[in-house]
Structures are given as C-alpha cells and as structure tokens.
C-alpha cells in the first residue's frame, strides 16, 4: 500500500465551487506539505505544517486554505475555485528527525480542472 | 524570480549518449536535492548533497554540488530509455522549506 495517498486522483469542477483535496500518510511523519505543479513552472509550495498545531503559508497560499486534522491527515481546500487553479496538486511528508536535509515523500497527485 | 534555474528545460537524446543537467542559483543553499518524476506519479528523491564540492554517484548518475553551494549538476552516462522523466533540483535554505527548480524533461529514445 502507498505510504502517501491523495483523494481524489482526478477532479473536474466549475468556477465558484468549493473543493477539498485530501492527503493521508502512514509514514508517521510530522511534517506535511501541499504543492501545485504547472507546466514549465515546477513545484510551488502552497502550505506546510510541521505538526498538528502548526500551519504556515507557502509562496502561493492566496485562494487556498488547509486543515491538519491529525498527524496523518492534511487537507487542502479551494473555497471558490477559479480556472487558474487548474493544476496538478501534490501532498508530501517528511520526518523532522531526519535533519535539515530531510527527504520529502510525495503522493501520486490530484489533477484538478476548473472550468 | 526563480530562485533555482535549471537548464536545459527539455532534452531529447538517443540511448547510449551522455548528458548533463544544470541547476544554478545566486543564493546559497544548506543542501540540495535531485528528484525524478515519472508521468502520473509524484517526485522521488535521487540524492541529497550537503557539502560544497561534494560528488555522489548513483550507478550511471553523478551528482555534484558546487564549491560555493549555489549550483549543482547531474550527469548521466550512457543514458537508457528508463532514464526518461522530469528531473527536478530542490534546495534547502535555513527555514527547512524546499525550493524547486522548474525541471528538465529528459527523453531517451531507443
């Protein structure tokens, strides 16, 4: 079974709709991240959480919110989706005990299309 | 402004050829990582380099971290079709967040 799972894997929605993307991990890691990937732009950090009570904005947090429901669960919400939020979204985890150069483990991604 | 510049953006070569991908920045990083991403999947870590001037080898892949810890390169010897994918460099600064480059899309033709 995959260590980092994301649901749904694909979603098509309309402008103005509220969307939630979910991420679960079985790695026991304390740190979790949400990224979006756009062609030619690489991966950009949306939000990150270093433990259940810690939530931080990344470089492109506008239009997004997150919830860390438990150590193993980190969800990303789009309160009112817009077409330029069409992208591939990745959740990732890492272990703070691994030190400064900790490896990030990525989920398989969610492809979101906003019409 | 992109903190990490990768070049080339696209690379298409024949099986057996050698290639080098570059990752450059004007900023210093405490460490730098290289990931590979295949279609439909998330990135997977290949290597982490920490010390300026460090060279690491992973079979046919050689990774180098610049002396000033501002740049890195990935060299693949005798590329194979299985090497096809998106190669991403990512740097750590002092805040424990990764900054990714835009990636190099490599295609190795049989």
């Amino acid at each position: 079974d995959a260590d980092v799972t994301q649901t749904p894997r694909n979603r098509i929605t309309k402008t103005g709709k509220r969307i939630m993307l979910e991420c679960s991990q079985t790695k026991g890691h304390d740190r979790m991240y949400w990224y979006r990937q756009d062609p030619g732009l690489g991966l950009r950090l949306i939000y990150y959480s270093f433990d259940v009570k810690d939530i931080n904005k990344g470089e492109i947090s506008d239009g997004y919110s997150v919830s860390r429901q438990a150590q193993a669960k980190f969800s990303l919400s789009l309160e009112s989706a817009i077409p330029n939020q069409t992208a591939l979204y990745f959740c990732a985890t890492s272990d703070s005990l691994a030190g400064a150069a900790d490896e990030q483990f990525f989920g398989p991604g969610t492809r979101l299309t906003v019409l | 402004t992109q903190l990490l510049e990768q070049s080339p953006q696209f690379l298409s070569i024949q099986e057996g050829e050698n290639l080098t991908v570059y990752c450059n920045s004007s900023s210093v990083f405490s460490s730098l990582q290289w990931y590979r991403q295949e279609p439909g999947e998330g990135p997977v870590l290949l290597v982490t380099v920490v010390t300026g001037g460090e060279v690491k080898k992973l079979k046919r892949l050689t990774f180098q971290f610049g002396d000033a810890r501002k740049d890195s390169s990935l060299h693949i010897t005798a590329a194979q079709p299985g090497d096809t994918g998106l190669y991403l460099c990512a740097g750590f600064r002092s805040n424990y967040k990764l900054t990714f480059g835009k990636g190099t899309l490599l295609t190795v033709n049989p």
Side-chain angles (χ1 to χ4, degrees):
Chain A
D1 289 339
D3 295 318
V4 184
T5 57
Q6 293 183 234
T7 55
R9 292 295 313 277
N10 289 283
R11 182 71 184 267
I12 299 174
T13 191
K14 294 182 178 180
T15 297
K17 294 291 187 181
R18 184 179 187 274
I19 296 296
M20 179 180 286
L21 309 183
E22 299 188 349
C23 176
S24 294
Q25 53 115 347
T26 58
K27 301 190 74 66
H29 290 169
D30 49 351
R31 296 179 176 179
M32 297 187 75
Y33 312 80
W34 275 105
Y35 294 90
R36 68 176 277 176
Q37 186 175 37
D38 299 274
L41 292 179
L43 283 157
R44 293 181 292 168
L45 183 64
I46 305 172
Y47 270 95
Y48 62 103
S49 170
F50 281 178
D51 64 45
V52 175
K53 297 180 181 178
D54 176 74
I55 301 289
N56 303 282
K57 292 183 177 181
E59 57 182 304
I60 54 163
S61 59
D62 287 349
Y64 302 94
S65 62
V66 290
S67 174
R68 186 83 183 265
Q69 300 96 323
Q71 187 190 40
K73 296 184 181 295
F74 193 35
S75 59
L76 175 72
S77 293
L78 288 68
E79 296 301 324
S80 180
I82 56 177
N84 76 0
Q85 291 177 312
T86 293
L88 192 53
Y89 290 84
F90 286 101
C91 174
T93 73
S94 68
D95 182 2
S96 61
L97 296 179
D102 54 341
E103 175 180 0
Q104 292 196 7
F105 295 84
F106 286 82
T110 294
R111 185 169 295 281
L112 177 65
T113 303
V114 184
L115 302 176
Chain B
T1 301
Q2 190 74 17
L3 202 57
L4 278 168
E5 298 287 345
Q6 280 190 245
S7 62
Q9 188 176 357
F10 300 97
L11 189 56
S12 180
I13 62 171
Q14 293 301 120
E15 182 175 1
E17 293 182 1
N18 301 332
L19 67 112
T20 302
V21 174
Y22 300 94
C23 179
N24 296 303
S25 177
S26 58
S27 300
V28 175
F29 291 95
S30 57
S31 63
L32 198 138
Q33 297 181 330
W34 285 92
Y35 288 80
R36 189 175 89 181
Q37 184 181 12
E38 298 188 19
E41 299 180 8
V44 176
L45 181 69
L46 294 173
V47 77
T48 301
V49 284
V50 179
T51 306
E54 182 176 5
V55 176
K56 282 191 173 179
K57 292 192 175 184
L58 185 65
K59 296 183 180 179
R60 294 176 293 100
L61 278 61
T62 301
F63 304 86
Q64 187 164 6
F65 200 14
D67 291 340
R69 291 186 288 131
K70 293 182 179 181
D71 54 82
S72 181
S73 63
L74 158 60
H75 181 80
I76 301 179
T77 303
Q80 299 177 0
D83 295 327
T84 293
L86 179 67
Y87 289 81
L88 295 156
C89 67
F92 272 107
R93 301 179 77 188
S94 60
N95 55 6
Y96 298 93
K97 292 184 299 181
L98 269 181
T99 298
F100 282 85
K102 294 181 180 181
T104 294
L105 186 60
L106 171 65
T107 302
V108 182
N109 302 297

